[in-house]
Amino acid sequence: MKKLLFILLLPLIGFSQKYPFNKEDVSVNELLKGSLYIPARYTPKTDLVIIIAGSGMPDRDGNQQGMENNSLRLLAEGLAKNDIAAFSFDKRSIALKASGKLSEDDMRFDDFITDVKTIITYFRDKKQFGRIIIAGHSEGSLIGMVAANGNADAFISLAGAGRSIDQILEDQLAVPFADLKTEVHEDLQSLKNGKTFALKSPALGVIFRESVQPYLISWIKYDPQAEIAKLTIPVLVVNGTRDIQVPVSDAELLKKAKPSAKLAIINDMNHVFKAVNSDDRAQNIATYSNPSLPLVPELLLSVNQFIKSL
């Protein structure tokens, strides 16, 4: 097995004191609403971290139906307690659903990139903070690295994939749809070539239904390794050894594509930043729906240290 490199970011100097913070609702526009966490010791030079949620329909706290873990809220609070402002927001799909205008056929990956750029511009124009750092979780990592290019002062990948979505899907579907391996490959190739297709096997509808194909086409065109290599700002790549969705090898691919990036592989941390001390998949998944569990302390230490070092 490939030896893993663990970067232990454990110094406590500067992070031992926990200060209070203020929290306020902010509406960037009718689709982008979130929570702004402002440290009690705020100054106009205070750094701001814009936190981007992952796939599905997560809210500003990192929660979605059937999975309440407060991962992003705890991250934002942890930053604010250490004199770093944070803004976490609901994905546009939440506002669209509430207004009855959500249409899967119309969703595009580029919309989420535009949303982050809009948020960056909003806070730049207000001149309320100093540096703006983008922190993207899971799918939000790719969204964030594209949006950060030329717009942000630093970028943090939190459990972000190091491969394009077609490669990930082909791997993920290899076992459950082993008898449809050829069809899966052909379908992904069609999408990669920018073409939709008529679904042959209904069993694959959960992934390749016609209404979601345009979104997949817009997503596949982005290669995380190519996008992170374009960044000319400081980069931190974080992953956990208990992540059952995005393996450590993906973080290593991002590091290889961006050699100057700092890499933090956190022992026993899973995809939602919670501690898991075994290979038991059920135990791991159970943390996705347990909001009372704290974040792995090393995550905040790694992120705080990276930002303070900018």
Side-chain angles (χ1 to χ4, degrees):
M1 177 181 289
K2 189 175 181 180
K3 185 177 180 181
L4 300 180
L5 172 65
F6 291 89
I7 298 181
L8 302 179
L9 301 172
L10 298 178
L12 298 177
I13 297 175
F15 307 120
S16 59
Q17 294 292 327
K18 299 297 183 183
Y19 296 97
F21 58 88
N22 296 315
K23 179 181 178 182
E24 60 184 57
D25 290 335
V26 171
S27 293
V28 175
N29 58 36
E30 62 179 8
L31 293 179
L32 302 173
K33 305 177 189 302
S35 296
L36 179 62
Y37 298 75
I38 304 175
R41 303 199 303 175
Y42 161 82
T43 76
K45 292 184 179 181
T46 295
D47 293 326
L48 172 68
V49 177
I50 297 172
I51 302 172
I52 309 168
S55 59
M57 204 180 295
D59 62 17
R60 66 191 70 182
D61 294 331
N63 303 328
Q64 47 190 316
Q65 187 173 4
M67 289 191 295
E68 182 182 358
N69 52 66
N70 284 337
S71 56
L72 302 187
R73 178 174 70 81
L74 293 172
L75 174 60
E77 290 178 351
L79 291 168
K81 289 176 182 177
N82 282 289
D83 298 331
I84 300 168
F87 179 69
S88 58
F89 61 98
D90 302 331
K91 293 185 75 170
R92 65 164 43 220
S93 46
I94 292 178
L96 288 170
K97 183 178 181 180
S99 65
K101 298 178 181 178
L102 181 63
S103 172
E104 189 174 69
D105 302 71
D106 298 328
M107 298 298 289
R108 298 294 184 273
F109 191 80
D110 301 88
D111 293 334
F112 298 112
I113 295 171
T114 298
D115 287 346
V116 176
K117 290 180 179 179
T118 299
I119 293 169
I120 294 172
T121 299
Y122 173 85
F123 284 109
R124 289 280 192 210
D125 291 346
K126 289 178 71 67
K127 298 181 177 166
Q128 185 179 1
F129 300 101
R131 291 169 298 201
I132 292 181
I133 298 104
I134 301 299
H137 176 233
S138 195
E139 180 191 37
S141 170
L142 180 55
I143 292 168
M145 68 178 71
V146 178
N149 191 9
N151 299 298
D153 299 298
F155 171 70
I156 302 170
S157 173
L158 302 169
R163 297 163 293 155
S164 57
I165 189 58
D166 58 306
Q167 293 175 304
I168 293 171
L169 286 175
E170 191 148 14
D171 285 350
Q172 290 181 344
L173 300 177
V175 174
F177 296 100
D179 55 334
L180 298 174
K181 184 176 180 179
T182 299
E183 184 178 340
V184 167
H185 179 75
E186 291 174 350
D187 290 347
L188 287 170
Q189 283 301 117
S190 293
L191 297 175
K192 195 169 182 178
N193 291 329
K195 300 177 181 179
T196 59
F197 56 86
L199 193 66
K200 298 176 184 177
S201 300
L204 292 175
V206 66
I207 303 294
F208 297 133
R209 56 190 178 279
E210 293 183 12
S211 60
V212 83
Q213 287 181 30
Y215 181 80
L216 289 172
I217 288 173
S218 69
W219 188 358
I220 283 174
K221 69 181 181 180
Y222 290 104
D223 178 355
Q225 294 175 60
E227 298 303 326
I228 201 169
K230 296 176 184 177
L231 297 178
T232 58
I233 53 179
V235 173
L236 171 66
V237 177
V238 182
N239 222 96
T241 63
R242 298 291 185 183
D243 193 325
I244 56 177
Q245 291 183 244
V246 179
V248 166
S249 57
D250 276 55
E252 292 172 333
L253 287 172
L254 292 177
K255 167 66 175 176
K256 183 177 180 181
K258 186 68 178 176
S260 63
K262 295 183 179 179
L263 177 66
I265 304 301
I266 300 177
N267 196 39
D268 288 342
M269 185 179 79
N270 73 356
H271 194 66
V272 292
F273 316 143
K274 305 298 178 75
V276 180
N277 57 15
S278 79
D279 291 328
D280 188 322
R281 187 177 179 86
Q283 177 190 349
N284 197 315
I285 292 175
T287 69
Y288 286 54
S289 303
N290 190 342
S292 65
L293 291 175
L295 299 188
V296 173
E298 288 80 7
L299 172 65
L300 283 170
L301 289 171
S302 299
V303 173
N304 284 329
Q305 187 182 60
F306 171 72
I307 294 171
K308 297 294 185 181
S309 71
L310 295 175

